[in-house]
C-alpha cells in the first residue's frame, strides 16, 4: 500500500472516530465532542511524531527575516523546512478530522498549533457559558437538605475554578441565599443581620450553612437567634 493511500485511509478513520464521538454531549459545537476528539487527535499526532509542532508551533521562516536571511546556515534552514513540512501534515490531519461546523471555525488558522489553540479556547469558552447557565438556574429543590444543595452549588463552583474563572465568594453566597425556596425566606435576612457576609469567605459560609442539614427554615431561624443571642433589629 502506497504511503499516500495509508495517509488517506488514516484520515478517514480519524474522521469516523470524531463523528462517532459527536454522539455524546459537546460544548464546542453540535456535532463534535471536543474532549474525545482532542484525545484521539493528540494520540495520533504523538504516534506520527507530529505533536511537537502542535504543542510548540513553528518559528517564522528565517529566510524571510532580513537580519537572519544573509547569515543563516543551510543546516538551520533545512531544519526549519522540516518543521514546516511536519506542521502542514499536522494541520491537514487536524482539519481533515473535523466535522464541517468545527472545520469552519478553523478557516483562519495557518498552522496546526493555531487550529489546536482555537478549538481549545472555543471549548473552554463554551464550557464557561454552559456553567454560567447552570449557575444562574440552580436552585434548591423542594425538601432538599441544605447540605445537599450546597454540595450541588459547590460542584459548579469547582468547575469554574478548574477553568481558571473562579466566582467571587460573595456572588456565590448571594446566589445560594437568593435561590432558597419560600419556606426559607426568614433565613437570608437573619444571616445578613448576624454575619458580615461580604467579608465572609465561601468556605466559611458553606461550613456554617452545612450545619443546618435538613432543618426547615423556621428551625434554622430559631437556631440562628439562639446562636447569636441577639434580637433581630428592626
Amino acid at each position: 500500500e502506497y504511503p499516500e493511500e495509508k495517509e488517506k485511509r488514516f484520515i478517514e478513520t480519524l474522521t469516523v472516530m470524531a463523528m462517532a464521538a459527536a454522539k455524546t454531549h459537546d460544548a464546542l459545537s453540535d456535532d463534535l465532542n471536543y474532549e474525545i476528539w482532542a484525545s484521539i487527535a493528540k494520540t495520533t499526532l504523538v504516534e506520527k511524531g507530529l505533536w511537537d509542532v502542535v504543542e510548540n508551533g513553528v518559528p517564522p521562516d528565517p529566510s524571510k527575516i532580513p537580519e537572519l536571511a544573509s547569515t543563516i546556515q543551510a543546516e538551520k534552514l533545512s531544519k526549519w523546512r522540516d518543521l514546516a513540512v511536519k506542521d502542514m501534515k499536522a494541520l491537514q490531519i487536524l482539519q481533515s478530522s473535523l466535522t464541517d461546523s468545527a472545520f469552519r471555525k478553523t478557516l483562519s488558522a495557518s498552522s496546526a498549533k493555531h487550529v489546536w489553540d482555537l478549538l481549545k479556547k472555543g471549548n473552554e469558552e463554551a464550557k464557561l457559558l454552559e456553567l454560567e447557565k447552570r449557575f444562574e438556574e440552580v436552585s434548591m429543590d423542594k425538601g432538599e437538605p441544605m447540605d445537599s444543595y450546597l454540595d450541588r452549588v459547590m460542584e459548579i463552583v469547582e468547575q469554574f475554578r478548574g477553568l481558571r474563572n473562579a466566582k467571587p465568594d460573595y456572588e456565590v453566597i448571594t446566589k445560594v441565599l437568593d435561590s432558597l425556596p419560600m419556606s426559607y425566606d426568614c433565613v437570608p435576612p437573619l444571616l445578613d443581620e448576624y454575619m458580615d457576609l461580604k467579608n465572609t469567605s465561601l468556605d466559611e459560609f458553606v461550613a456554617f450553612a452545612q450545619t443546618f442539614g435538613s432543618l426547615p427554615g423556621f428551625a434554622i431561624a430559631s437556631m440562628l437567634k439562639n446562636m447569636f443571642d441577639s434580637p433581630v433589629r428592626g
Side-chain angles (χ1 to χ4, degrees):
E1 188 174 21
Y2 292 106
E4 294 82 0
E5 294 176 347
K6 290 179 66 177
E7 187 75 17
K8 181 180 179 182
R9 187 160 56 84
F10 158 74
I11 291 174
E12 290 174 348
T13 301
L14 184 58
T15 303
V16 169
M17 294 174 74
M19 291 294 289
K23 294 180 180 179
T24 58
H25 176 72
D26 170 50
L28 177 64
S29 67
D30 293 335
D31 56 357
L32 177 73
N33 185 304
Y34 172 82
E35 304 296 343
I36 297 178
W37 171 84
S39 177
I40 295 170
K42 181 176 179 179
T43 298
T44 302
L45 291 166
V46 169
E47 290 175 350
K48 287 185 161 294
L50 300 173
W51 177 246
D52 59 321
V53 294
V54 178
E55 185 176 30
N56 303 315
V58 177
D61 182 352
S63 66
K64 301 292 178 62
I65 302 176
E67 56 267 30
L68 297 178
S70 59
T71 59
I72 188 170
Q73 298 176 355
E75 182 181 355
K76 290 186 177 180
L77 184 58
S78 177
K79 287 183 178 179
W80 178 86
R81 286 172 177 164
D82 288 343
L83 284 177
V85 170
K86 289 176 67 176
D87 185 47
M88 291 305 297
K89 288 182 178 179
L91 178 62
Q92 180 188 20
I93 288 172
L94 290 177
Q95 289 188 319
S96 298
S97 68
L98 295 172
T99 57
D100 288 345
S101 62
F103 171 74
R104 285 193 290 272
K105 298 177 187 292
T106 71
L107 289 176
S108 63
S110 58
S111 69
K113 177 175 174 57
H114 194 183
V115 166
W116 189 269
D117 290 347
L118 274 175
L119 293 176
K120 182 179 180 181
K121 181 180 179 181
N123 184 61
E124 290 178 349
E125 290 175 347
K127 279 186 174 181
L128 280 174
L129 287 175
E130 183 181 355
L131 280 177
E132 287 288 358
K133 182 179 179 182
R134 287 178 59 195
F135 183 75
E136 181 181 334
E137 295 178 350
V138 69
S139 62
M140 180 185 280
D141 295 330
K142 184 177 181 180
E144 181 179 16
M146 178 69 77
D147 51 357
S148 173
Y149 177 52
L150 289 170
D151 285 344
R152 288 200 294 120
V153 173
M154 289 306 297
E155 180 184 355
I156 298 174
V157 169
E158 289 301 329
Q159 290 183 52
F160 273 112
R161 291 172 177 172
L163 292 173
R164 301 178 299 281
N165 202 292
K167 285 283 185 184
D169 287 1
Y170 185 62
E171 181 180 351
V172 179
I173 293 172
T174 302
K175 170 61 184 178
V176 169
L177 297 179
D178 289 346
S179 58
L180 298 177
M182 290 182 62
S183 58
Y184 285 83
D185 279 356
C186 57
V187 174
L190 287 172
L191 285 174
D192 194 44
E193 179 81 14
Y194 297 142
M195 300 177 67
D196 183 7
L197 294 179
K198 287 186 177 180
N199 293 309
T200 299
S201 74
L202 179 58
D203 289 341
E204 290 173 334
F205 173 80
V206 169
F208 179 70
Q210 282 180 331
T211 63
F212 301 154
S214 57
L215 290 175
F218 71 87
I220 294 175
S222 177
M223 174 182 170
L224 288 171
K225 291 175 183 178
N226 292 332
M227 184 180 299
F228 290 96
D229 193 26
S230 173
V232 178
R233 293 187 293 273

